[in-house]
Amino acid sequence: MSKKIQTVMFIMSALLISGCSDDAQSNDQNNRHMMNQNSNEGNHHMMNQNSNEGNHHMMDDSTMGNGHMSHDNVVSLKDSTGENELNIPPLLTSDAADRTEYTIKAQTGKVEIFDGVTTETLGYNGDLLGPVLQFKKGETVKIHTINELDEETTFHWHGLEVSGEADGGPHKTLKPGEKELIEFEVTQEAATLWFHPHPEGKTSEQVYKGLAGLIYIEDSNSAKLEIPKEYGKNDIPLVFQDRVFNEQGQLDYKSVMNEDGTIGDTLLVNGTVNPVLTVGKEQVRLRLLNGSNARNFTFKLNTGESFVQIATDGGFLNKPVKLNEVTLTPSERAEIIIDFSQLKSTDSLSLINEDGSILLPFDVLDQEVEDTQTTKRLNDFAVTDEEKNMPVTKNIELFGMMEHVEINGKKFDPDRIDFTQKQGVTEVWEIYNKKDMMGGMIHPFHIHGAQFKILSRDGVEPQENERGWKDSIAVHPGEKVKIAIQFKHKGVYMFHCHILEHEDNGMMGQIEVK
């Protein structure tokens, strides 16, 4: 097909879809569908013993058109009714008593997400999602990966600084029944990372059906900090994922898949529908992961009160940053602390999205808990003058929508190396989100195998809560972001948009570190 015909087809499809307004999903979220005014907020924490809703949680046909949803008018999430206590993922136990050695299996599963309905899913070492892996800086880790699926998959360690061979990109697929041992030294500081599949063209569906898990790295600094650390009590992992369930309560990805990013109306938090989190009147640390295929979340309290952010994707901020809301695009993480003893009211308290959708109600226990004062100094992260004054050596241009997405005018080619960089050498990349005729959309940009520093957004220093290690960054239409990045290890690594359907459609490139 000629370039001219392709261009005409692209323009026609853009006009038909009305798919990507300026800053869609972020600045335009107030234009989403109105939240359900009939929700009984007073009963958020009560179990509905007479629930006979059947397919209440399934996608209403009126919100869909040919299986696709508009990004101009992103469907709102149904409010959590708070009837199910939040599932807390288990901490995976090492296979060996004297070292950290894990076995992780990708497998099929069946879960009763809705009462009386069995949903077919995927999971790691279980039916849905996966356990939490724990690493310590300086230790050597061994992981036995096993593919028990009926299709190829990979095990990608998102945010982990490892060799290209261990990273688990699309070159490292395991066929059904295959297994592989990877071994690496943990060289980075305390952080909340995650793992998920990364097979070419299949990532979005496998993540959608349940393949995702968290990684905690601890170090000597995190051990001494006065912050909530009791796992499952005041240190809570939260994986947010929006999904569409059909009338049979199944995740029929192919029928709802949107080339521009699949958006759902039903929220799962740690795989729990209609969750509630029970907490004490104390400081509680929430480790937030946007594990969705495409939806952006802006987390805030329904009372409008503030909390503090203490960490970004790859580590602690230098000091707690007071915020009323924090926005995460797909794959981004943030650690926040809410002091439930200092809130004006804890009745009907919830974590909500920007449009008011109730994401996670809190059931705050009456008894006071021993107070913990958050350490004022958390880290010694810094952007050096040398890094600020370095010239740009790599330019990344993100462009397009639907299946017409590209980086620097090209789609992913596994046989093409787009850039090279020397191991241990810091370079400055400039990422530019080029607007299209519809205005464009936010692209969450992720680089494998390294953490980076944000130098500037359109020439301006980043906000305080972005002054920490990052591996994914939201790039708005027309925006140019400069980052300083150094790879500790050698190998071939991916860089791509983390809207998973964009990634599968070829919005991905490769850098070889020598």
Side-chain angles (χ1 to χ4, degrees), residues 150-204:
D150 58 4
E151 61 183 345
E152 289 187 342
T153 192
T154 80
F155 293 77
H156 169 52
W157 317 104
H158 184 118
L160 194 61
E161 296 176 335
V162 290
S163 70
E165 280 296 303
D167 178 67
H171 292 294
K172 295 294 292 183
T173 56
L174 293 182
K175 295 178 181 178
E178 284 190 335
K179 59 182 68 177
E180 182 182 32
L181 171 66
I182 64 169
E183 184 174 343
F184 55 88
E185 181 183 352
V186 181
T187 59
Q188 63 203 96
E189 64 186 57
T192 301
L193 313 178
W194 64 305
F195 61 102
H196 61 80
H198 211 291
E200 185 180 355
K202 294 285 290 183
T203 299
S204 53

Side-chain angles (χ1 to χ4, degrees), residues 257-275:
M257 189 272 286
N258 186 341
E259 299 283 2
D260 234 358
T262 303
I263 303 291
D265 69 339
T266 301
L267 179 67
L268 299 180
V269 184
N270 296 350
T272 308
V273 72
N274 290 323

Side-chain angles (χ1 to χ4, degrees), residues 11 42 66 108 116 145 155 188 218 268 281 307 335 346 350 379 381 408 449:
I11 293 172
N66 298 324
T108 59
T145 59
F155 293 77
Q188 63 203 96
E218 303 296 346
L268 299 180
K281 285 189 175 179
F307 48 81
E335 295 184 30
T346 57
S350 298
N379 208 350
F381 176 89
N408 291 352

Side-chain angles (χ1 to χ4, degrees), residues 451-493:
Q451 294 287 331
F452 56 76
K453 302 175 182 180
I454 304 175
L455 302 179
S456 64
R457 288 182 175 274
D458 284 337
V460 178
E461 190 176 14
Q463 297 293 320
E464 279 190 289
N465 69 316
E466 283 196 316
R467 297 175 194 175
W469 292 108
K470 295 282 290 176
D471 54 58
S472 300
I473 184 170
V475 188
H476 294 249
E479 186 178 37
K480 291 183 178 179
V481 177
K482 288 184 181 179
I483 63 171
I485 183 167
Q486 178 187 127
F487 293 87
K488 295 178 182 177
H489 303 275
K490 295 181 179 180
V492 175
Y493 299 97

Side-chain angles (χ1 to χ4, degrees), residues 52-162:
N52 190 23
E53 296 176 338
N55 297 323
H56 170 75
H57 305 285
M58 314 315 172
M59 174 64 81
D60 184 341
D61 289 342
S62 66
T63 65
M64 303 178 62
N66 298 324
H68 292 181
M69 286 159 285
S70 169
H71 284 271
D72 276 338
N73 207 15
V74 177
V75 62
S76 287
L77 290 162
K78 295 186 177 80
D79 292 337
S80 171
T81 60
E83 61 192 64
N84 298 315
E85 189 65 34
L86 179 75
N87 174 61
I88 303 295
L91 297 170
L92 190 59
T93 302
S94 175
D95 296 341
D98 59 343
R99 63 185 183 274
T100 300
E101 185 170 348
Y102 293 125
T103 298
I104 303 177
K105 301 176 181 179
Q107 52 194 141
T108 59
K110 293 183 178 181
V111 183
E112 191 173 304
I113 296 174
F114 307 109
D115 289 345
V117 178
T118 299
T119 301
E120 295 183 358
T121 55
L122 301 179
Y124 292 116
N125 294 15
D127 293 308
L128 179 64
L129 300 182
V132 175
L133 313 185
Q134 300 175 90
F135 303 154
K136 289 184 179 179
K137 184 178 180 180
E139 73 174 346
T140 297
V141 173
K142 292 184 178 180
I143 302 180
H144 301 267
T145 59
I146 304 173
N147 180 12
E148 294 186 349
L149 306 178
D150 58 4
E151 61 183 345
E152 289 187 342
T153 192
T154 80
F155 293 77
H156 169 52
W157 317 104
H158 184 118
L160 194 61
E161 296 176 335
V162 290

Side-chain angles (χ1 to χ4, degrees), residues 185-399:
E185 181 183 352
V186 181
T187 59
Q188 63 203 96
E189 64 186 57
T192 301
L193 313 178
W194 64 305
F195 61 102
H196 61 80
H198 211 291
E200 185 180 355
K202 294 285 290 183
T203 299
S204 53
E205 183 172 5
Q206 290 188 1
V207 172
Y208 196 83
K209 290 183 175 180
L211 287 183
L214 289 169
I215 301 170
Y216 285 6
I217 297 180
E218 303 296 346
D219 60 12
S220 58
N221 178 49
S222 64
K224 69 184 181 183
L225 294 179
E226 293 183 9
I227 54 177
K229 299 176 184 176
E230 191 172 346
Y231 182 80
K233 183 178 181 294
N234 60 18
D235 183 356
I236 312 295
L238 296 174
V239 180
F240 291 85
Q241 298 175 308
D242 61 327
R243 297 291 183 256
V244 179
F245 292 88
N246 65 18
E247 292 182 355
Q248 289 74 44
Q250 301 303 312
L251 293 165
D252 187 357
Y253 176 77
K254 289 181 173 60
S255 70
V256 299
M257 189 272 286
N258 186 341
E259 299 283 2
D260 234 358
T262 303
I263 303 291
D265 69 339
T266 301
L267 179 67
L268 299 180
V269 184
N270 296 350
T272 308
V273 72
N274 290 323
V276 59
L277 175 61
T278 301
V279 296
K281 285 189 175 179
E282 61 177 329
Q283 291 192 357
V284 177
R285 177 183 181 185
L286 304 179
R287 305 197 193 208
L288 311 174
L289 162 64
N290 182 347
S292 293
N293 283 38
R295 182 186 289 273
N296 302 329
F297 289 96
T298 296
F299 299 98
K300 56 200 296 187
L301 290 171
N302 61 339
T303 59
E305 292 175 272
S306 63
F307 48 81
V308 295
Q309 182 176 342
I310 62 169
T312 51
D313 296 339
F316 289 109
L317 296 163
N318 284 345
K319 61 181 181 180
V321 177
K322 187 176 181 180
L323 300 168
N324 291 102
E325 61 182 45
V326 61
T327 298
L328 299 179
T329 56
S331 83
E332 287 188 294
R333 285 93 63 211
E335 295 184 30
I336 65 173
I337 292 177
I338 300 174
D339 191 341
F340 289 93
S341 68
Q342 298 299 312
L343 299 179
K344 294 177 182 177
S345 173
T346 57
D347 293 335
S348 299
L349 183 68
S350 298
L351 202 62
I352 63 173
N353 203 6
E354 186 177 37
D355 63 355
S357 301
I358 297 172
L359 305 176
L360 181 63
F362 297 107
D363 188 357
V364 185
L365 302 176
D366 287 336
Q367 65 263 36
E368 295 284 342
V369 182
E370 184 178 351
D371 188 36
T372 301
Q373 294 299 318
T374 302
T375 307
K376 294 295 185 288
R377 185 71 181 179
L378 301 169
N379 208 350
D380 58 359
F381 176 89
V383 176
T384 67
D385 288 337
E386 180 183 6
E387 289 167 338
K388 291 177 182 177
N389 294 316
M390 290 176 66
V392 173
T393 54
K394 289 177 173 56
N395 289 280
I396 306 289
E397 182 184 275
L398 310 174
F399 181 71

